[in-house]
Amino acid sequence: MDVQEWEQRHTEAFYNVKETIPYLDGMLVAYNSNIDAIKHLTEADLSRLIGLFKDTEIIERIETYPREIKDPLDFMARLFISMREGKAAEIPTHNSDIHEWLKDHLGFDYARMGGQAGIISNLLSSLELKKVVAYIPWLSQEQAEYFVDADNLFHPKIENGKVFLKHPREAFKPNIGSKVNWIIEYSKNLEVSCDGRNFTVPRDNRLIISSRPKWLRFDVDKEVYEQLDSIFPIDGAMLSGYQIIKEEYEDGSTYKDHVASSVQVIEKLKSLNPELRIHVELTSIQNRIIRKAILTEIIAKHVHSLGLDTVEVANALNVLGHEELSYLVIMKEEYGITSLYQGALQLLKDLSLERVHVHSLGFYICILVKGHPLTLKEHRDVLLFSSILAAAKAVRGDIGNFMEAEVGLEVPISNDGIESLDDFKLYCVDRKLCTLEEFEYGYIYGPDHDAVIIPTKVVNKPKATVGIGDAISAGAFAAMIAKMKQKIS
Ligand code: ADP
């Protein structure tokens, strides 16, 4: 495999896609955003926190092993447990009290946009789309501050029953709490002492308090739903955050109600622009009932495009009844890439999709339905563009504009990625999915599908890794629609 050739293709694709972006009229990005508040715990912070309680209270609470954070003592107990073992943990909290308490008693070093829709909105806005319409059902004033200050970024605002598009900072809902996830990092060798019990933290790690307030709902405001035409023209929608749907709610509604109303929104969007493409970005969903409902009732038949990583491919296959394939994908044995390809293809078929984009470290595979309006070369450019974005995000932590994205061009293609492709080559050629030459281009022609596979750029020491998957899927999906529009213009 000619690495130099792939480097050249990356560069050409980047500038080629950049020219295409203006063909897009707009993109809707919904539903989930939160604030990530990051605090590195110092010795002084810790002794101040301990000083707020009686030592015995903390020790007693540790023994109850709280599974959720209901009050500050639960937090202290789980922090101690996490530090004692040096083990990462993510504990939910269902109200905003602990957020207020942590703000008052600990504070954070810095905060950043979290949540797929929040991250994607900011990225697409930075890529200079004409219009990005974010929609976060729980947009608080504090959350709105984390949206980039750009005049192509909007959010629906209801005024006297009418929907207007304004910048998120002018479109927040008053009197609503914020969904803040606290990430408390601690370092190896921190000395901890409480009630005469001492220990030394064995390794660097972190405790995450993830906010799941009770008011978190997957509803679209009635006015926004009824006046959905007010957010148009848009050519695509990127939807994520379905994982917050719960099986049952206190008001007696169930996931079925929320699934049904989500589908209604999708169908209405499509009726307003029959050419509109819908992408869902999947993330891990612990609850199998919810995971299956999202896949079979929201994504199947209603959505065109799916973006996910390898673990999510395995998880999806598992609830769709493909346990063996799921196992092979997760095991990532020598020829793991072959199972991944088969798994992604299975998802395309089971869920009647047009496109499944799987991102892995070092390569991406995109399975396509036959007869897609773009050529495989165009699909390849779309993936290569997203590889540059991923590299830039890994180098910088954030991408503020196209110039900052160019940093990704300097990052070399991953050797592991090239090796994975080499492992896959013989499988494809043996089964006559492509010739050796076609494989070198990254093109695969199945009997009932096509596919594109590329090696990607990987940053050795990334500044940050959060949200890279979101950037890959968002960049590729936006680029794909832009190219589709360019073709018909
Ligand atoms: P997240 O939800 O935080 O975005 P995902 O697991 O969905 O995480 O996506 C992570 C993806 O980011 C990987 O599949 C890989 O393609 C890409 N990635 C991760 N680390 C790097 C890196 N150092 N350089 C380039 N790409 C990376």
Side-chain angles (χ1 to χ4, degrees), residues 179-209:
K179 179 167 161 35
V180 182
N181 290 349
W182 282 78
I183 303 173
I184 318 281
E185 300 171 339
Y186 50 80
S187 300
K188 187 177 166 175
N189 294 335
L190 184 69
E191 298 288 341
V192 186
S193 157
C194 182
D195 198 29
R197 300 166 204 215
N198 305 326
F199 64 87
T200 306
V201 173
R203 70 180 74 84
D204 292 357
N205 225 322
R206 62 193 188 173
L207 174 76
I208 300 178
I209 309 298

Side-chain angles (χ1 to χ4, degrees), residues 75-103:
F75 164 74
M76 291 301 289
R78 289 306 304 253
L79 179 63
F80 267 65
I81 294 168
S82 174
M83 290 194 303
R84 194 175 59 198
E85 292 157 19
K87 227 171 139 181
E90 182 164 346
I91 329 285
T93 182
H94 297 286
N95 61 44
S96 332
D97 297 356
I98 195 69
H99 164 53
E100 296 302 330
W101 186 86
L102 286 168
K103 249 193 341 192

Side-chain angles (χ1 to χ4, degrees), residues 309 312 359-361 364 390-391 394 457-459 462 465-470 472:
D309 68 16
E312 289 143 14
H359 45 81
S360 183
L361 198 62
Y364 307 156
K457 295 179 173 257
V458 170
V459 177
T465 55
V466 175
I468 301 184
D470 303 335
I472 296 166

Side-chain angles (χ1 to χ4, degrees), residues 31-241:
Y31 294 86
N32 60 330
S33 81
N34 59 262
I35 301 165
D36 284 339
I38 295 108
K39 169 72 189 169
H40 190 85
L41 200 68
T42 63
E43 223 165 311
D45 293 324
L46 187 60
S47 56
R48 203 177 58 248
L49 287 180
I50 294 175
L52 297 171
F53 304 91
K54 286 195 197 113
D55 283 8
T56 47
E57 284 180 318
I58 299 176
I59 301 297
E60 277 165 28
R61 193 60 66 91
I62 290 173
E63 267 144 35
T64 69
Y65 200 85
R67 303 246 169 218
E68 69 178 274
I69 307 296
K70 289 192 179 136
D71 61 25
L73 265 178
D74 285 339
F75 164 74
M76 291 301 289
R78 289 306 304 253
L79 179 63
F80 267 65
I81 294 168
S82 174
M83 290 194 303
R84 194 175 59 198
E85 292 157 19
K87 227 171 139 181
E90 182 164 346
I91 329 285
T93 182
H94 297 286
N95 61 44
S96 332
D97 297 356
I98 195 69
H99 164 53
E100 296 302 330
W101 186 86
L102 286 168
K103 249 193 341 192
D104 292 345
H105 295 90
L106 183 62
F108 49 84
D109 300 330
Y110 65 101
R112 63 177 177 223
M113 173 68 93
Q116 297 151 298
I119 292 169
I120 291 173
S121 304
N122 279 351
L123 175 77
L124 293 183
S125 166
S126 303
L127 294 182
E128 296 164 26
L129 265 68
K130 276 195 203 91
K131 180 169 79 174
V132 177
V133 182
Y135 181 68
I136 314 295
W138 53 86
L139 185 70
S140 69
Q141 183 168 15
E142 193 184 9
Q143 175 73 72
E145 291 299 318
Y146 292 86
F147 283 86
V148 292
D149 187 9
D151 53 16
N152 62 350
L153 181 57
F154 302 91
H155 191 282
K157 168 80 177 164
I158 306 161
E159 279 171 358
N160 299 321
K162 244 183 107 41
V163 175
F164 297 91
L165 287 186
K166 302 204 163 179
H167 188 273
R169 290 179 198 182
E170 292 160 22
F172 60 86
K173 286 183 180 156
N175 310 321
I176 187 170
S178 298
K179 179 167 161 35
V180 182
N181 290 349
W182 282 78
I183 303 173
I184 318 281
E185 300 171 339
Y186 50 80
S187 300
K188 187 177 166 175
N189 294 335
L190 184 69
E191 298 288 341
V192 186
S193 157
C194 182
D195 198 29
R197 300 166 204 215
N198 305 326
F199 64 87
T200 306
V201 173
R203 70 180 74 84
D204 292 357
N205 225 322
R206 62 193 188 173
L207 174 76
I208 300 178
I209 309 298
S210 74
S211 159
R212 308 264 170 77
K214 289 204 171 70
W215 44 258
L216 212 60
R217 284 296 161 95
F218 217 74
D219 294 337
V220 171
D221 293 303
K222 188 167 145 277
E223 292 88 343
V224 174
Y225 178 77
E226 282 168 0
Q227 299 166 51
L228 213 48
D229 54 331
S230 60
I231 66 168
F232 280 72
I234 52 166
D235 315 297
M238 295 202 67
L239 308 178
S240 56

